[in-house]
């Protein structure tokens, strides 16, 4: 099936690994031209070498905690591509911890990583886009269901729901669709490290630690990054022309709330 993505010009943030890498790979498989980014240039180049075998890909080093670098990513990325049709915004995870433990600096860092970077990316991307373009923000299930010891994510990511709703309303008149996805437990390096830490701290095997983490997921397993990427592809495709202002859970049924 032709999803209408061929020849689209796409920027994927935080795309040297995990969900971002899987998303960039899927766009390339559908025939898009893609700019990938990461703050870690070594990992970025490794990912570029893998992805260039699939299609037209470029890379730009960008630290999402620095608004000026986010702005430069959008400006330079769209210049390289000759325009911008899709922004797939993905970010790494903030420092774990609870409100009583986290420092002021932790909160400022989390704010820049999770929210300010998204605000800048959306604002700068919208300047480059025409009717039919898409902005897709990858957030977290913490928007709907807080997770223990992840208070930076629980508090700050919630603001992305307001960003998505506000931007979708303002950009709808220009024909630009703005949506989000809420990944649940996904097999990324971050989750792998959480599993290792939990196993070590509680004196159990990594298999048991993972089993305990996902025990409330009705499907009984974590997601693969490609499963998150597929929903992002749907939102960027010709199948989602009347979807905007939505945030889709991709969580295996983990969120218990009805709405």
């Amino acid at each position: 099936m032709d999803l209408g993505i061929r020849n689209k010009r796409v920027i994927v943030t935080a795309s040297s690994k995990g969900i971002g890498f899987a998303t960039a790979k899927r766009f390339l498989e559908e025939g898009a031209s893609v700019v990938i980014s990461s703050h870690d240039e070594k990992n970025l180049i490794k990912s570029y070498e893998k992805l260039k075998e699939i299609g037209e890909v470029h890379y730009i080093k960008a630290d999402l905690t620095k608004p000026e670098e986010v702005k430069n990513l959008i400006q330079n990325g769209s210049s390289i591509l000759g325009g911008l049709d899709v922004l797939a915004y993905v970010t790494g995870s903030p420092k774990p911890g609870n409100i009583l433990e986290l420092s002021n600096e932790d909160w400022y860092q989390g704010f820049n990583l999770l929210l300010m970077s998204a605000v800048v990316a959306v604002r700068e991307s919208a300047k480059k886009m025409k009717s039919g373009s898409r902005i897709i923000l990858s957030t977290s299930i913490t928007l709907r269901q807080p997770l223990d010891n992840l208070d930076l994510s629980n508090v700050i990511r919630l603001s992305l729901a307001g960003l998505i709703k506000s931007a979708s309303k303002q950009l709808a008149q220009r024909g630009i669709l703005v949506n989000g996805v809420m990944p649940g437990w996904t097999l990324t390096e971050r989750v792998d490290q959480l599993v290792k830490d939990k196993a070590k701290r509680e004196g159990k095997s990594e298999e048991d630690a993972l089993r305990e983490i996902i025990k409330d997921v009705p499907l009984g397993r974590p997601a693969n990054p490609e499963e998150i990427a597929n929903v992002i592809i749907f939102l960027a495709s010709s199948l989602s022309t009347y979807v905007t202002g939505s945030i889709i859970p991709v969580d295996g049924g983990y969120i218990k709330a009805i709405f």
Side-chain angles (χ1 to χ4, degrees):
M1 176 184 290
D2 181 4
L3 297 178
I5 292 175
R6 183 169 300 280
N7 298 323
K8 294 295 184 182
R9 299 158 297 184
V10 182
I11 294 176
V12 185
T13 64
S15 40
S16 66
K17 54 188 177 181
I19 293 170
F21 178 85
T23 299
K25 182 173 181 288
R26 286 292 292 113
F27 272 111
L28 288 169
E29 289 170 346
E30 294 296 330
S33 300
V34 179
V35 168
I36 61 172
S37 74
S38 171
H39 72 284
D40 187 323
E41 190 165 17
K42 183 177 179 181
N43 284 337
L44 188 57
I45 293 172
K46 285 182 180 178
S47 299
Y48 165 77
E49 292 295 333
K50 295 176 184 177
L51 293 172
K52 72 178 185 180
E53 303 299 324
I54 303 173
E56 181 189 345
V57 61
H58 312 269
Y59 69 88
I60 297 175
K61 183 177 181 292
D63 184 343
L64 295 184
T65 65
K66 299 177 179 177
E68 194 59 34
E69 292 195 19
V70 179
K71 181 178 179 179
N72 289 339
L73 168 63
I74 302 303
Q75 291 182 337
N76 295 338
S78 60
S79 178
I80 289 170
L81 295 170
L84 183 60
D85 301 304
V86 180
L87 168 69
Y89 167 89
V90 183
T91 185
S93 300
K95 180 180 179 179
N98 62 53
I99 290 173
L100 300 180
E101 298 170 345
L102 296 163
S103 68
N104 288 351
E105 186 58 36
D106 293 332
W107 284 96
Y108 290 129
Q109 186 85 354
F111 168 80
N112 282 327
L113 174 66
L114 300 178
L115 179 58
M116 197 62 217
S117 64
V119 171
V120 174
V122 170
R123 183 181 66 213
E124 297 304 318
S125 294
K127 295 175 182 178
K128 307 291 184 181
M129 290 178 162
K130 297 180 180 179
S131 180
S133 298
R134 312 295 169 86
I135 296 173
I136 304 151
L137 306 182
S138 179
T139 63
S140 167
I141 53 173
T142 58
L143 266 71
R144 297 275 299 280
Q145 193 160 308
L147 297 176
D148 291 344
N149 206 46
L150 294 178
D151 285 359
L152 288 176
S153 187
N154 294 339
V155 175
I156 300 171
R157 285 192 197 268
L158 191 59
S159 299
L160 287 170
L163 174 61
I164 290 166
K165 281 294 185 182
S166 297
S168 67
K169 183 177 181 180
Q170 293 171 40
L171 295 177
Q173 59 190 323
R174 291 175 48 196
I176 300 171
L177 309 184
V178 184
N179 293 290
V181 296
M182 290 186 285
W185 292 108
T186 306
L187 289 175
T188 61
E189 287 187 14
R190 164 74 163 181
V191 169
D192 185 56
Q193 188 58 54
L194 289 173
V195 169
K196 285 180 167 60
D197 290 346
K198 181 178 177 65
K200 183 177 181 180
R201 187 174 63 252
E202 299 179 6
K204 58 181 64 174
S205 69
E206 291 181 16
E207 290 78 11
D208 286 342
L210 177 60
R211 192 175 298 114
E212 186 172 331
I213 285 173
I214 63 169
K215 62 183 172 59
D216 292 325
V217 178
L219 286 183
R221 64 173 179 84
N224 292 310
E226 292 77 13
E227 292 176 298
I228 313 300
N230 283 336
V231 180
I232 293 174
I233 289 292
F234 161 72
L235 289 170
S237 77
S238 57
L239 300 178
S240 64
T241 52
Y242 202 63
V243 181
T244 195
S246 295
I247 311 175
I248 302 175
V250 193
D251 65 346
Y254 179 85
I255 295 172
K256 296 179 176 61
I258 296 173
F259 297 108

